Amino acid sequence: MFEFKPTEIKHIKHLRISYFYEIKLSQELFLEWMIREAEALKIYSDNHEVGYAIINKEGILLEFYLITEILYKKEDIFKQLIENHSVKKIYCKSFDNVLLTCSHTFCTSNKIIGTLFRDYSKGISVEYENQFKVRLATHSDIQFLLANDSGLYESPEELRYTVANNMLYMFEKDNYLIGCGYLIKIMPDKNFHDIGVWTNPDVRRQGYGAMISYYLIFSYTHLTLPTTSNVLV
């Protein structure tokens, strides 16, 4: 039998470092934000720390990691985990081989819920229009964004969090909202970011989405993202 002891996310940081080293690719912002509110379980075998699991309040398993020496028992550990901790669903990254294998072994169905695009062309240059204004989103923008299906957020709470923490940028021309976007660092000790862009339906297919994306990437790289409410590009 294996033991699963509740702990705080910060107490499994060393194990998560190993986990991300082994899966090679970056975490996704959607999952990382879910993990902030989830419960961590340290996994023990014969009183030795051998891994961890992270499960949120809805019973969704978000991460599952075992050290190399215990991987030959992964199915036994996984089976005990999902049976004893009311796991109802698993969010598995396609490049997480251990969790993917265990999920296929014990789950009866699966579906793709998202696609992550990791690369962008650094050679593209986008010409900005004159008087293209960029500002941080404020509380007064929230109602408009909630009324429009922007796809930038998973829940109203997530939108309010990005606005309150100065993560969302509004792009305007002649006092008309062209669109908005964010570039958010996923984990503090990793140089990976998540980018999100929404353009106003009235001005789509005019290059504004590409302009917003390029501005966010270029400005972050050159440390010129605005920190006040009104900045002209």
Side-chain angles (χ1 to χ4, degrees):
M1 292 292 289
F2 306 95
E3 291 184 274
F4 301 86
K5 298 182 180 180
T7 187
E8 297 181 38
I9 298 295
K10 64 182 180 181
H11 294 149
I12 60 169
K13 182 178 179 180
H14 61 294
L15 292 170
R16 293 195 79 207
I17 289 173
S18 298
Y19 168 69
F20 286 114
Y21 176 79
E22 292 185 14
I23 66 172
K24 307 300 182 185
L25 298 175
S26 169
Q27 177 68 299
E28 202 274 333
L29 184 65
F30 168 66
L31 293 176
E32 193 61 27
W33 280 13
M34 292 182 73
I35 285 171
R36 292 181 311 175
E37 308 297 329
E39 178 188 50
L41 298 169
K42 273 191 180 181
I43 303 172
Y44 293 85
S45 176
D46 297 326
N47 295 319
H48 295 292
E49 181 184 272
V50 297
Y52 72 90
I54 300 177
I55 305 172
N56 74 359
K57 296 176 182 178
E58 286 73 42
I60 302 175
L61 177 62
L62 302 172
E63 280 183 18
F64 175 67
Y65 171 74
L66 298 172
I67 62 174
T68 303
E69 293 79 6
I70 202 71
L71 279 177
Y72 72 99
K73 292 185 177 181
K74 62 181 180 295
E75 286 85 1
D76 295 332
I77 298 173
F78 190 81
K79 184 174 186 290
Q80 185 179 331
L81 172 69
I82 61 176
E83 289 179 350
N84 294 354
H85 293 274
S86 303
V87 174
K88 300 179 177 66
K89 189 182 295 185
I90 302 165
Y91 282 177
C92 179
K93 298 179 283 287
S94 61
F95 48 88
D96 185 343
N97 294 329
V98 173
L99 182 54
L100 189 62
T101 298
C102 291
S103 297
H104 280 311
T105 301
F106 293 97
C107 297
T108 57
S109 64
N110 65 81
K111 65 178 180 179
I112 296 173
I113 63 170
T115 303
L116 186 61
F117 297 92
R118 298 188 170 277
D119 301 316
Y120 66 90
S121 175
K122 298 180 180 179
I124 295 177
S125 179
V126 177
E127 183 177 349
Y128 297 130
E129 296 191 10
N130 293 331
Q131 301 301 300
F132 194 65
K133 187 170 72 174
V134 186
R135 63 175 176 82
L136 284 167
T138 65
H139 182 77
S140 61
D141 296 308
I142 292 177
Q143 197 58 43
F144 173 84
L145 294 172
L146 287 175
N148 290 270
D149 184 14
S150 67
L152 279 176
Y153 53 88
E154 298 294 331
S155 66
E157 291 73 24
E158 183 177 308
L159 172 62
R160 293 186 181 96
Y161 180 85
T162 59
V163 172
N165 288 275
N166 294 332
M167 297 175 173
L168 186 61
Y169 299 91
M170 311 298 282
F171 294 76
E172 299 174 345
K173 180 184 177 184
D174 299 328
N175 295 318
Y176 183 80
L177 181 65
I178 298 299
C180 57
Y182 61 72
L183 186 71
I184 300 174
K185 195 167 189 177
I186 299 172
M187 303 179 73
D189 54 347
K190 299 280 186 182
N191 194 30
F192 293 108
H193 300 75
D194 189 87
I195 189 170
V197 173
W198 173 82
T199 54
N200 194 315
D202 293 338
V203 295
R204 287 179 181 172
R205 300 186 180 279
Q206 298 181 39
Y208 288 118
M211 188 183 299
I212 293 171
S213 298
Y214 184 79
Y215 172 84
L216 290 169
I217 294 170
F218 180 87
S219 298
Y220 176 84
T221 303
H222 293 77
L223 302 178
T224 57
L225 279 173
T227 56
T228 58
S229 60
N230 289 305
V231 177
L232 292 179
V233 174

